[in-house]
CSV table of all heavy atoms in Angstrom, one decimal:
chain,number,residue,atom,x,y,z
W,277,THR,N,-65.5,-7.8,-30.7
W,277,THR,CA,-65.8,-6.9,-29.7
W,277,THR,C,-67.3,-7.0,-29.5
W,277,THR,O,-68.0,-7.8,-30.2
W,277,THR,CB,-65.5,-5.4,-30.1
W,277,THR,OG1,-66.3,-5.1,-31.3
W,277,THR,CG2,-64.0,-5.3,-30.4
W,278,VAL,N,-67.9,-6.2,-28.7
W,278,VAL,CA,-69.4,-6.1,-28.5
W,278,VAL,C,-69.8,-4.7,-28.6
W,278,VAL,O,-69.4,-3.8,-27.9
W,278,VAL,CB,-69.8,-6.8,-27.2
W,278,VAL,CG1,-71.3,-6.9,-27.1
W,278,VAL,CG2,-69.2,-8.1,-26.9
W,279,GLY,N,-70.8,-4.4,-29.5
W,279,GLY,CA,-71.4,-3.1,-29.6
W,279,GLY,C,-72.2,-2.8,-28.3
W,279,GLY,O,-72.7,-3.6,-27.5
W,280,GLY,N,-72.3,-1.5,-28.1
W,280,GLY,CA,-72.8,-1.0,-26.7
W,280,GLY,C,-74.3,-0.9,-26.6
W,280,GLY,O,-74.8,-0.7,-25.5
W,281,THR,N,-75.0,-1.1,-27.7
W,281,THR,CA,-76.5,-1.0,-27.6
W,281,THR,C,-77.0,-1.8,-26.5
W,281,THR,O,-77.9,-1.4,-25.6
W,281,THR,CB,-77.2,-1.4,-28.9
W,281,THR,OG1,-76.7,-0.4,-29.9
W,281,THR,CG2,-78.7,-1.0,-28.8
W,282,ALA,N,-76.7,-3.2,-26.4
W,282,ALA,CA,-77.2,-4.1,-25.4
W,282,ALA,C,-76.9,-3.7,-24.0
W,282,ALA,O,-77.5,-4.1,-23.1
W,282,ALA,CB,-76.7,-5.5,-25.8
W,283,PHE,N,-75.8,-2.9,-23.8
W,283,PHE,CA,-75.5,-2.4,-22.5
W,283,PHE,C,-76.2,-1.1,-22.2
W,283,PHE,O,-75.9,-0.5,-21.1
W,283,PHE,CB,-73.9,-2.2,-22.4
W,283,PHE,CG,-73.1,-3.5,-22.7
W,283,PHE,CD1,-72.5,-3.6,-23.9
W,283,PHE,CD2,-73.0,-4.5,-21.7
W,283,PHE,CE1,-71.7,-4.7,-24.2
W,283,PHE,CE2,-72.2,-5.6,-22.0
W,283,PHE,CZ,-71.6,-5.8,-23.2
W,284,GLY,N,-76.9,-0.6,-23.2
W,284,GLY,CA,-77.5,0.7,-22.9
W,284,GLY,C,-76.8,1.9,-23.4
W,284,GLY,O,-77.3,3.1,-23.1
W,285,SER,N,-75.7,1.7,-24.1
W,285,SER,CA,-74.9,2.8,-24.7
W,285,SER,C,-74.7,2.6,-26.1
W,285,SER,O,-73.6,2.1,-26.5
W,285,SER,CB,-73.7,3.0,-23.8
W,285,SER,OG,-73.9,3.5,-22.6
W,286,PRO,N,-75.7,2.9,-27.0
W,286,PRO,CA,-75.5,2.7,-28.4
W,286,PRO,C,-74.3,3.4,-29.1
W,286,PRO,O,-73.9,3.1,-30.2
W,286,PRO,CB,-76.7,3.1,-29.1
W,286,PRO,CG,-77.5,3.9,-28.1
W,286,PRO,CD,-77.0,3.6,-26.7
W,287,GLU,N,-73.7,4.4,-28.4
W,287,GLU,CA,-72.6,5.1,-28.9
W,287,GLU,C,-71.2,4.6,-28.6
W,287,GLU,O,-70.2,5.2,-29.0
W,287,GLU,CB,-72.7,6.6,-28.5
W,287,GLU,CG,-72.4,6.8,-27.0
W,287,GLU,CD,-73.3,6.4,-26.0
W,287,GLU,OE1,-74.4,5.9,-26.3
W,287,GLU,OE2,-73.1,6.8,-24.7
W,288,CYS,N,-71.2,3.5,-27.8
W,288,CYS,CA,-70.0,2.9,-27.3
W,288,CYS,C,-69.8,1.4,-27.8
W,288,CYS,O,-70.6,0.8,-28.4
W,288,CYS,CB,-69.9,2.9,-25.9
W,288,CYS,SG,-70.0,4.6,-25.1
W,289,ILE,N,-68.5,1.0,-27.6
W,289,ILE,CA,-68.3,-0.4,-28.0
W,289,ILE,C,-67.4,-1.0,-26.9
W,289,ILE,O,-66.5,-0.3,-26.3
W,289,ILE,CB,-67.5,-0.4,-29.4
W,289,ILE,CG1,-67.3,-1.8,-29.9
W,289,ILE,CG2,-66.0,0.2,-29.4
W,289,ILE,CD1,-66.9,-1.8,-31.5
W,290,ARG,N,-67.6,-2.3,-26.5
W,290,ARG,CA,-66.8,-2.9,-25.4
W,290,ARG,C,-65.7,-3.8,-25.9
W,290,ARG,O,-65.9,-4.6,-26.7
W,290,ARG,CB,-67.8,-3.7,-24.6
W,290,ARG,CG,-67.2,-4.0,-23.2
W,290,ARG,CD,-67.9,-5.0,-22.4
W,290,ARG,NE,-67.8,-6.4,-22.9
W,290,ARG,CZ,-68.2,-7.5,-22.4
W,290,ARG,NH1,-68.9,-7.4,-21.2
W,290,ARG,NH2,-68.1,-8.7,-22.9
W,291,PHE,N,-64.6,-3.5,-25.3
W,291,PHE,CA,-63.4,-4.3,-25.4
W,291,PHE,C,-63.1,-5.0,-24.1
W,291,PHE,O,-63.0,-4.4,-23.1
W,291,PHE,CB,-62.1,-3.7,-25.9
W,291,PHE,CG,-62.3,-2.9,-27.2
W,291,PHE,CD1,-62.7,-1.6,-27.3
W,291,PHE,CD2,-61.9,-3.6,-28.4
W,291,PHE,CE1,-62.8,-0.9,-28.5
W,291,PHE,CE2,-62.0,-2.9,-29.6
W,291,PHE,CZ,-62.5,-1.6,-29.7
W,292,SER,N,-62.9,-6.4,-24.1
W,292,SER,CA,-62.4,-7.0,-23.0
W,292,SER,C,-60.8,-7.3,-23.1
W,292,SER,O,-60.5,-7.8,-24.0
W,292,SER,CB,-63.1,-8.5,-22.8
W,292,SER,OG,-62.4,-9.3,-21.9
W,293,TYR,N,-60.1,-6.8,-22.1
W,293,TYR,CA,-58.7,-7.0,-22.2
W,293,TYR,C,-58.2,-8.1,-21.3
W,293,TYR,O,-57.2,-8.2,-20.7
W,293,TYR,CB,-57.9,-5.7,-21.9
W,293,TYR,CG,-58.2,-5.0,-20.5
W,293,TYR,CD1,-57.6,-5.3,-19.4
W,293,TYR,CD2,-59.2,-3.9,-20.6
W,293,TYR,CE1,-57.8,-4.6,-18.2
W,293,TYR,CE2,-59.5,-3.2,-19.4
W,293,TYR,CZ,-58.8,-3.6,-18.2
W,293,TYR,OH,-59.1,-2.9,-17.1
W,294,ALA,N,-59.1,-9.1,-21.1
W,294,ALA,CA,-58.8,-10.4,-20.5
W,294,ALA,C,-58.1,-11.4,-21.4
W,294,ALA,O,-58.5,-12.4,-21.7
W,294,ALA,CB,-60.0,-11.1,-19.8
W,295,THR,N,-57.0,-10.8,-22.0
W,295,THR,CA,-56.2,-11.5,-23.0
W,295,THR,C,-54.8,-11.0,-22.9
W,295,THR,O,-54.5,-10.0,-22.3
W,295,THR,CB,-56.9,-11.4,-24.4
W,295,THR,OG1,-56.1,-12.4,-25.3
W,295,THR,CG2,-56.7,-10.0,-25.0
W,296,SER,N,-53.9,-11.7,-23.6
W,296,SER,CA,-52.5,-11.3,-23.5
W,296,SER,C,-52.1,-10.0,-24.1
W,296,SER,O,-52.8,-9.5,-24.9
W,296,SER,CB,-51.6,-12.4,-24.2
W,296,SER,OG,-51.8,-12.3,-25.5
W,297,ASP,N,-50.9,-9.4,-23.6
W,297,ASP,CA,-50.5,-8.2,-24.1
W,297,ASP,C,-50.3,-8.2,-25.5
W,297,ASP,O,-50.7,-7.4,-26.2
W,297,ASP,CB,-49.2,-7.8,-23.4
W,297,ASP,CG,-49.2,-7.6,-21.9
W,297,ASP,OD1,-50.0,-8.3,-21.2
W,297,ASP,OD2,-48.6,-6.7,-21.3
W,298,GLU,N,-49.7,-9.4,-26.0
W,298,GLU,CA,-49.4,-9.5,-27.4
W,298,GLU,C,-50.7,-9.4,-28.3
W,298,GLU,O,-50.8,-8.8,-29.3
W,298,GLU,CB,-48.8,-10.9,-27.7
W,298,GLU,CG,-47.4,-11.0,-27.1
W,298,GLU,CD,-47.4,-11.3,-25.7
W,298,GLU,OE1,-48.3,-11.7,-25.0
W,298,GLU,OE2,-46.4,-10.9,-25.0
W,299,LYS,N,-51.8,-10.1,-27.7
W,299,LYS,CA,-53.1,-10.1,-28.5
W,299,LYS,C,-53.7,-8.7,-28.4
W,299,LYS,O,-54.3,-8.3,-29.4
W,299,LYS,CB,-54.0,-11.1,-27.9
W,299,LYS,CG,-53.7,-12.5,-28.3
W,299,LYS,CD,-54.6,-13.5,-27.9
W,299,LYS,CE,-54.3,-15.0,-28.4
W,299,LYS,NZ,-55.2,-16.1,-27.9
W,300,ILE,N,-53.5,-8.0,-27.4
W,300,ILE,CA,-54.1,-6.6,-27.2
W,300,ILE,C,-53.4,-5.7,-28.3
W,300,ILE,O,-54.0,-5.0,-29.1
W,300,ILE,CB,-53.9,-6.0,-25.9
W,300,ILE,CG1,-54.8,-6.7,-24.9
W,300,ILE,CG2,-54.2,-4.5,-25.8
W,300,ILE,CD1,-54.5,-6.5,-23.4
W,301,VAL,N,-52.1,-5.8,-28.4
W,301,VAL,CA,-51.3,-5.0,-29.4
W,301,VAL,C,-51.7,-5.3,-30.8
W,301,VAL,O,-51.9,-4.4,-31.6
W,301,VAL,CB,-49.7,-5.2,-29.1
W,301,VAL,CG1,-49.0,-4.6,-30.3
W,301,VAL,CG2,-49.3,-4.6,-27.8
W,302,GLU,N,-51.8,-6.7,-31.0
W,302,GLU,CA,-52.2,-7.1,-32.3
W,302,GLU,C,-53.7,-6.6,-32.7
W,302,GLU,O,-53.9,-6.1,-33.8
W,302,GLU,CB,-52.1,-8.6,-32.5
W,302,GLU,CG,-52.6,-9.2,-33.8
W,302,GLU,CD,-51.9,-8.7,-35.0
W,302,GLU,OE1,-50.8,-8.0,-35.0
W,302,GLU,OE2,-52.5,-8.9,-36.2
W,303,ALA,N,-54.5,-6.8,-31.8
W,303,ALA,CA,-55.9,-6.4,-32.0
W,303,ALA,C,-56.0,-4.9,-32.3
W,303,ALA,O,-56.7,-4.5,-33.3
W,303,ALA,CB,-56.7,-6.6,-30.7
């Protein structure tokens, strides 16, 4: 994943869901 500090929000974390349903469920 990517921590939110570089995006200006140190309290958040970014998930990209540009991946398959199976991988999202497993993640």
